[in-house]
Amino acid sequence: MAQDTNPPANENIYRVTRRIKKTEQTIYNALRSIHDDSLFVSEIRHLWRELPLLANLRCGLWYSSDFDGTCYFKSTDGHNGNWSFNTGRMNLHVAMLAAERGGCFIVDATRKGKRFPDAMSKTIPIWACVLNRALADYRTLHAQEMLDPSAEQTGNGHLENDSRGGGKTGNSDLENDWDCSLHLPVWISHVEKGNIESRIQSWVESLKSTVVDLETLAKTLKKPLRPLWISQSSVIWLNELPEVDEWSFTPIILVSASRPSIFTQRYTDEDFSWSYIPGAADDEESWARGLTPALFWTHHLDILEGGPTTCNAKVAEIVERDRVYRAQRGIQAPQVRVKSGRFGSEISQSADRECTQHETALDLMIRNGPAEGDGRAFRAEGEPTSESWFIRKASLNLKGFHWIGNTGLAVGNEDCGNRDDIFGMVDCVINCGASSNPTCRSREESYLYLPIVGSKIDRHSLQDHLQEALSFAKQKLSCQKTVLIYCSTGEDISVCVCLAVLLSCYTTTGGYSGSSNSDFVVTKSAVRQQLIYLSAFNSDARPSRGSLRQVFNFFNPNVERVSQDVDID
């Protein structure tokens, strides 16, 4: 008997559309779309090979296997009517990297059929303008020191024309050699641009009121920052491309990886047919099935070569193998629920065979001496206290591990904290991850495990454990020992625990103020200031609003119940 494929008579168009969309947005279509867009990103990067390539988290991280770093510009800060310069996400490492290398690329994508996400069309231009004006004011106050012999250089930089006019600070001495204009793409209306521009000066004053080191940036950045926009519909004349040093500004080249498309586009190559998904990497939890960008690019040929029929099983096998590898080393390895397919019976066997051969970047740690002024100075046990507190004890180039100035505090992720040799790098460890490290349990005096979960799971988990964390950290710091605080990602919970320690024991510039400071009142401004200081040393710091709120409420228990919407951002 033939099966009836016609939809029920009472099924509405909404349900039919949802069913069609679900069949199109498979993991194979998403990964094939990402791989296809990555070829465009690679092509653009080769136009100026000397510039570093940065991924705007999280979506942008999928579009290349060879990023030089990451940044975090939120599209919500550029939404119409919600424009913002967020001092908690200043991305100063992007400005410093661009200053040192002559510019940089930033890669992102969007699903909404637009050429560029709002993070690129408004958030980053606002960020660049605010920094430029703050630096212009600093250059005016220190005119003799900031004298720039290259200020008269001219160049060409319009890959896609920006809006004209406006944006000057009113200082005629700076207008000729330091561009303070607000540069937005041409599709942003004059009304919206005017609304944004009317807020710029207040954001500049907000930036100048923080502890941001404008002096170092001003001495390093020789030309003002300026965004340029490149998408797959851009027209670029290769024979007219200027060299980076010919431009009169420091380019922040914003690369939108995906083709803007409202309708589903179907492609067929010599082997398979697939549907193109713009911005396919967005919202990875809904489609990736535990696959990460690093795992995808390590195994992308194996995943894609079998086509859509084997893709799900291949992904399940790779994710499970990585989970076993991590679990055997005490690293967080949550179970991912996926359909195993015909490869399911082989997963555990292949994982056991290969986990011992699996290498990560952490196994390639380079123990080099740090550069001058990088702040990684430590006091060895038994040495007398000095102005900087610590003598140089350890130095390493370890991904995810960040010393916070000269404070003796470090923030890291689970890969760092669960290393067998971690106590060769630091004296004490606070583990805020999902599970305790078995190798550290014997070191009761130097190890503290706090089972803290994210604010979306428990709104008070961090707050409930902060007192124990502070007591431990204060005791060790008073004995002049170094302390590593780590969590699963090194971006949220560990950052907020470290932030609480800084608020309790340190000034906004990292100076030690004692193991207790009962007279100090923690305001939202104080939280912002210490977060800015911490972020200057840890570019991975991306604490959630819920976690920051718990830190503020811990120091202000009387306002906890009446101010659940405390805005630290």
Side-chain angles (χ1 to χ4, degrees):
M1 182 177 179
Q3 183 179 1
D4 185 9
T5 59
N6 295 325
N10 60 347
E11 188 168 20
N12 58 37
I13 188 63
Y14 174 76
R15 292 182 178 177
V16 174
T17 304
R18 284 284 301 273
R19 187 169 61 251
I20 294 174
K21 184 178 180 181
K22 185 176 180 180
T23 59
E24 292 173 347
Q25 296 193 347
T26 64
I27 190 170
Y28 178 80
N29 287 340
L31 295 176
R32 185 63 191 265
S33 301
I34 289 170
H35 184 267
D36 192 57
D37 290 335
S38 73
L39 301 178
F40 168 72
V41 173
S42 178
E43 180 182 355
I44 295 300
R45 184 183 192 180
H46 281 77
L47 297 178
W48 295 280
R49 299 188 181 187
E50 66 272 29
L51 298 185
L53 185 71
L54 305 179
N56 192 29
L57 296 175
R58 292 175 308 162
C59 179
L61 195 58
W62 286 85
Y63 288 96
S64 176
S65 60
D66 191 27
F67 282 110
D68 297 299
T70 62
C71 55
Y72 188 42
F73 294 96
K74 291 189 68 173
S75 287
T76 52
D77 292 335
H79 287 176
N80 198 347
N82 192 47
W83 315 284
S84 175
F85 175 84
N86 197 305
T87 55
R89 294 186 290 271
M90 284 198 292
N91 293 283
L92 286 183
H93 67 288
V94 178
M96 286 297 298
L97 185 61
E100 293 168 356
R101 302 280 293 274
C104 69
F105 294 98
I106 298 179
V107 177
D108 203 352
T110 180
R111 277 191 174 192
K112 298 183 178 179
K114 298 183 293 187
R115 294 172 66 186
F116 294 86
D118 286 338
M120 287 184 163
S121 59
K122 285 172 281 189
T123 303
I124 296 178
I126 289 171
W127 168 83
C129 181
V130 171
L131 284 183
N132 284 337
R133 295 195 186 185
L135 292 173
D137 292 345
Y138 184 90
R139 288 162 63 91
T140 300
L141 293 174
H142 304 81
Q144 191 63 32
E145 301 174 24
M146 295 292 105
L147 187 60
D148 186 359
S150 64
E152 295 181 359
Q153 291 182 357
T154 60
N156 178 15
H158 290 277
L159 296 181
E160 291 197 14
N161 293 331
D162 51 53
S163 302
R164 297 181 179 180
K168 301 298 182 183
T169 60
N171 191 323
S172 59
D173 294 334
L174 290 174
E175 290 181 358
N176 293 328
D177 64 353
W178 194 263
D179 184 9
C180 294
S181 301
L182 172 63
H183 293 279
L184 294 173
V186 292
W187 56 86
I188 303 300
S189 69
H190 291 289
V191 173
E192 186 172 1
K193 180 181 179 181
N195 287 330
I196 295 173
E197 197 154 22
S198 66
R199 294 164 168 81
I200 292 289
Q201 194 56 38
S202 65
W203 294 328
V204 173
E205 297 303 322
S206 176
L207 171 62
K208 290 160 63 176
S209 67
T210 66
V211 295
V212 171
D213 184 10
L214 290 177
E215 179 182 1
T216 301
L217 183 58
K219 291 180 178 179
T220 308
L221 187 66
K222 303 304 181 183
K223 303 175 185 178
L225 302 169
R226 182 166 175 178
L228 304 173
W229 296 269
I230 297 181
S231 69
Q232 294 202 35
S233 57
S234 299
V235 177
I236 301 176
W237 300 101
L238 297 179
N239 60 336
E240 296 183 5
L241 285 178
E243 296 295 332
V244 172
D245 57 3
E246 296 177 357
W247 288 339
S248 60
F249 53 86
T250 301
I252 308 295
I253 303 176
L254 309 178
V255 182
S256 182
S258 294
R259 296 189 290 272
S261 176
I262 300 176
F263 304 102
T264 300
Q265 297 177 330
R266 193 77 181 172
Y267 294 91
T268 302
D269 56 20
E270 62 274 14
D271 296 317
F272 307 107
S273 178
W274 53 285
S275 296
Y276 177 77
I277 303 174
D282 192 23
D283 192 21
E284 61 192 49
E285 291 86 359
S286 65
W287 61 268
R289 301 190 177 200
L291 192 69
T292 64
L295 282 176
F296 169 64
W297 285 109
T298 301
H299 305 280
H300 70 280
L301 294 178
D302 188 34
I303 292 174
L304 297 178
E305 70 178 359
T309 58
T310 64
C311 183
N312 287 0
K314 289 282 188 180
V315 169
E317 179 184 8
I318 290 167
V319 170
E320 178 65 10
R321 184 186 306 148
D322 182 69
R323 188 190 70 81
V324 172
Y325 169 82
R326 297 173 66 85
Q328 291 183 347
R329 286 154 181 78
I331 306 173
Q332 183 186 24
Q335 181 70 50
V336 179
R337 295 182 178 273
V338 294
K339 296 180 180 179
S340 59
R342 64 186 181 90
F343 289 92
S345 60
E346 303 174 4
I347 290 176
S348 59
Q349 296 178 6
S350 61
D352 291 338
R353 287 195 305 268
E354 299 184 24
C355 67
T356 56
Q357 303 174 4
H358 188 72
E359 291 186 354
T360 67
L362 296 174
D363 298 316
L364 306 177
M365 182 181 70
I366 304 173
R367 295 180 179 275
N368 294 329
E372 286 297 322
D374 70 349
R376 285 178 253 179
F378 303 95
R379 180 184 184 278
E381 188 172 357
E383 289 290 330
T385 303
S386 62
E387 182 178 354
S388 64
W389 248 47
F390 306 99
I391 67 171
R392 199 169 303 275
K393 175 184 178 182
S395 60
L396 62 161
N397 182 15
L398 183 60
K399 184 178 180 181
F401 188 102
H402 305 275
W403 291 112
I404 308 303
N406 293 335
T407 62
L409 293 168
V411 175
N413 58 25
E414 211 165 42
D415 292 333
C416 302
N418 287 332
R419 292 186 63 88
D420 293 336
D421 58 351
I422 189 61
F423 283 104
M425 304 173 190
V426 296
D427 298 319
C428 307
V429 171
I430 299 178
N431 175 8
C432 307
S435 59
S436 180
N437 186 348
T439 62
C440 296
R441 291 172 186 167
S442 59
R443 296 176 174 263
E444 295 181 0
E445 296 183 356
S446 303
Y447 177 75
L448 175 66
Y449 172 58
L450 302 174
I452 303 175
V453 297
S455 58
K456 291 185 178 180
I457 300 175
D458 185 341
R459 294 195 306 173
H460 303 288
S461 179
L462 171 62
Q463 186 176 342
D464 292 341
H465 289 90
L466 273 182
Q467 185 58 60
E468 189 176 359
L470 290 180
S471 298
F472 180 88
K474 289 177 181 179
Q475 179 189 1
K476 303 308 177 184
L477 292 170
S478 64
C479 297
Q480 301 168 350
K481 294 183 180 295
T482 56
V483 180
L484 167 66
I485 305 170
Y486 76 93
C487 65
S488 299
T489 63
E491 300 175 358
D492 183 12
I493 295 175
S494 58
V495 169
C496 286
V497 173
C498 184
L499 178 62
V501 176
L502 290 173
L503 288 165
S504 297
C505 304
Y506 294 87
T507 67
T508 54
T509 56
Y512 186 69
S513 60
S515 59
S516 63
N517 192 354
S518 57
D519 296 331
F520 180 64
V521 177
V522 175
T523 63
K524 288 187 285 184
S525 176
V527 176
R528 291 192 195 99
Q529 294 281 11
Q530 285 289 20
L531 180 58
I532 291 169
Y533 174 77
L534 188 155
S535 299
F537 299 97
N538 179 10
S539 59
D540 293 333
R542 283 175 284 276
S544 66
R545 180 174 296 183
S547 297
L548 289 173
R549 182 186 302 141
Q550 291 182 67
V551 174
F552 177 81
N553 287 340
F554 172 80
F555 290 102
N556 299 272
N558 294 332
V559 302
E560 178 181 359
R561 298 304 179 213
V562 296
S563 184
Q564 290 294 341
D565 59 344
V566 173
D567 186 5
I568 305 297
D569 287 347

